Short mmCIF file of all heavy atoms in Angstrom, two decimals:
data_model
loop_
_atom_site.label_atom_id
_atom_site.label_comp_id
_atom_site.label_asym_id
_atom_site.label_seq_id
_atom_site.Cartn_x
_atom_site.Cartn_y
_atom_site.Cartn_z
N THR A 10 143.05 59.24 -105.85
CA THR A 10 141.84 60.04 -105.90
C THR A 10 140.98 59.65 -107.09
O THR A 10 141.47 59.06 -108.06
CB THR A 10 142.19 61.54 -105.98
OG1 THR A 10 141.00 62.32 -105.96
CG2 THR A 10 142.97 61.87 -107.25
N ASP A 11 139.71 60.02 -107.01
CA ASP A 11 138.83 59.89 -108.16
C ASP A 11 138.58 61.28 -108.73
O ASP A 11 139.16 62.28 -108.27
CB ASP A 11 137.52 59.20 -107.78
CG ASP A 11 136.76 59.90 -106.66
OD1 ASP A 11 137.07 61.08 -106.36
OD2 ASP A 11 135.86 59.28 -106.06
N ALA A 12 137.70 61.38 -109.72
CA ALA A 12 137.46 62.65 -110.38
C ALA A 12 136.95 63.72 -109.40
O ALA A 12 137.33 64.88 -109.48
CB ALA A 12 136.45 62.45 -111.51
N GLY A 13 136.11 63.32 -108.46
CA GLY A 13 135.51 64.27 -107.54
C GLY A 13 136.48 64.95 -106.60
O GLY A 13 136.25 66.08 -106.16
N TYR A 14 137.59 64.27 -106.29
CA TYR A 14 138.56 64.82 -105.33
C TYR A 14 139.87 65.26 -106.01
O TYR A 14 140.83 65.62 -105.31
CB TYR A 14 138.88 63.75 -104.28
CG TYR A 14 138.16 63.95 -102.97
CD1 TYR A 14 136.77 63.98 -102.93
CD2 TYR A 14 138.84 64.10 -101.77
CE1 TYR A 14 136.10 64.16 -101.72
CE2 TYR A 14 138.18 64.28 -100.56
CZ TYR A 14 136.81 64.30 -100.54
OH TYR A 14 136.15 64.48 -99.35
N LEU A 15 139.90 65.29 -107.34
CA LEU A 15 141.16 65.62 -108.02
C LEU A 15 141.66 67.01 -107.65
O LEU A 15 142.86 67.20 -107.40
CB LEU A 15 140.98 65.50 -109.54
CG LEU A 15 141.55 64.25 -110.20
CD1 LEU A 15 141.18 64.21 -111.68
CD2 LEU A 15 143.06 64.16 -110.03
N PHE A 16 140.77 67.99 -107.64
CA PHE A 16 141.23 69.36 -107.40
C PHE A 16 141.79 69.55 -105.99
O PHE A 16 142.92 70.03 -105.83
CB PHE A 16 140.11 70.37 -107.69
CG PHE A 16 140.54 71.79 -107.48
CD1 PHE A 16 141.56 72.35 -108.24
CD2 PHE A 16 139.92 72.58 -106.52
CE1 PHE A 16 141.96 73.67 -108.04
CE2 PHE A 16 140.31 73.89 -106.32
CZ PHE A 16 141.34 74.44 -107.08
N PRO A 17 141.06 69.20 -104.92
CA PRO A 17 141.65 69.37 -103.59
C PRO A 17 142.89 68.51 -103.39
O PRO A 17 143.83 68.91 -102.68
CB PRO A 17 140.53 68.97 -102.63
CG PRO A 17 139.54 68.21 -103.45
CD PRO A 17 139.64 68.77 -104.83
N THR A 18 142.93 67.34 -104.02
CA THR A 18 144.13 66.50 -103.93
C THR A 18 145.32 67.20 -104.58
O THR A 18 146.44 67.19 -104.05
CB THR A 18 143.88 65.13 -104.60
OG1 THR A 18 142.85 64.45 -103.88
CG2 THR A 18 145.13 64.28 -104.60
N PHE A 19 145.09 67.82 -105.73
CA PHE A 19 146.14 68.57 -106.42
C PHE A 19 146.67 69.69 -105.52
O PHE A 19 147.88 69.91 -105.44
CB PHE A 19 145.60 69.14 -107.73
CG PHE A 19 146.56 70.06 -108.44
CD1 PHE A 19 147.67 69.55 -109.10
CD2 PHE A 19 146.35 71.43 -108.44
CE1 PHE A 19 148.56 70.41 -109.76
CE2 PHE A 19 147.23 72.28 -109.09
CZ PHE A 19 148.34 71.77 -109.75
N VAL A 20 145.78 70.39 -104.83
CA VAL A 20 146.21 71.48 -103.94
C VAL A 20 147.10 70.93 -102.83
O VAL A 20 148.17 71.48 -102.54
CB VAL A 20 144.99 72.22 -103.36
CG1 VAL A 20 145.42 73.21 -102.27
CG2 VAL A 20 144.25 72.96 -104.47
N SER A 21 146.69 69.84 -102.19
CA SER A 21 147.51 69.24 -101.14
C SER A 21 148.85 68.79 -101.70
O SER A 21 149.91 68.98 -101.06
CB SER A 21 146.78 68.06 -100.50
OG SER A 21 147.56 67.48 -99.47
N ALA A 22 148.85 68.22 -102.89
CA ALA A 22 150.09 67.74 -103.50
C ALA A 22 151.04 68.89 -103.82
O ALA A 22 152.26 68.75 -103.66
CB ALA A 22 149.78 66.95 -104.76
N THR A 23 150.51 70.04 -104.26
CA THR A 23 151.39 71.19 -104.52
C THR A 23 152.02 71.67 -103.22
O THR A 23 153.19 72.07 -103.20
CB THR A 23 150.63 72.34 -105.20
OG1 THR A 23 149.56 72.79 -104.35
CG2 THR A 23 150.07 71.93 -106.55
N GLN A 24 151.26 71.64 -102.13
CA GLN A 24 151.83 72.02 -100.84
C GLN A 24 152.89 71.02 -100.40
O GLN A 24 153.93 71.40 -99.85
CB GLN A 24 150.72 72.12 -99.79
CG GLN A 24 149.75 73.26 -100.03
CD GLN A 24 148.64 73.29 -98.99
OE1 GLN A 24 148.20 72.25 -98.51
NE2 GLN A 24 148.20 74.48 -98.63
N ALA A 25 152.64 69.73 -100.63
CA ALA A 25 153.64 68.71 -100.30
C ALA A 25 154.93 68.95 -101.09
O ALA A 25 156.03 68.79 -100.56
CB ALA A 25 153.08 67.32 -100.60
N ARG A 26 154.78 69.33 -102.36
CA ARG A 26 155.97 69.61 -103.18
C ARG A 26 156.74 70.81 -102.61
O ARG A 26 157.97 70.79 -102.56
CB ARG A 26 155.53 69.89 -104.62
CG ARG A 26 156.63 70.23 -105.62
CD ARG A 26 157.50 69.03 -105.98
NE ARG A 26 158.40 68.60 -104.91
CZ ARG A 26 159.04 67.45 -104.87
NH1 ARG A 26 158.86 66.57 -105.83
NH2 ARG A 26 159.83 67.14 -103.86
#
Side-chain angles (χ1 to χ4, degrees):
T10 183
D11 57 16
Y14 259 59
L15 257 174
F16 181 62
T18 297
F19 173 74
V20 171
S21 181
T23 61
Q24 293 178 326
R26 179 71 288 166

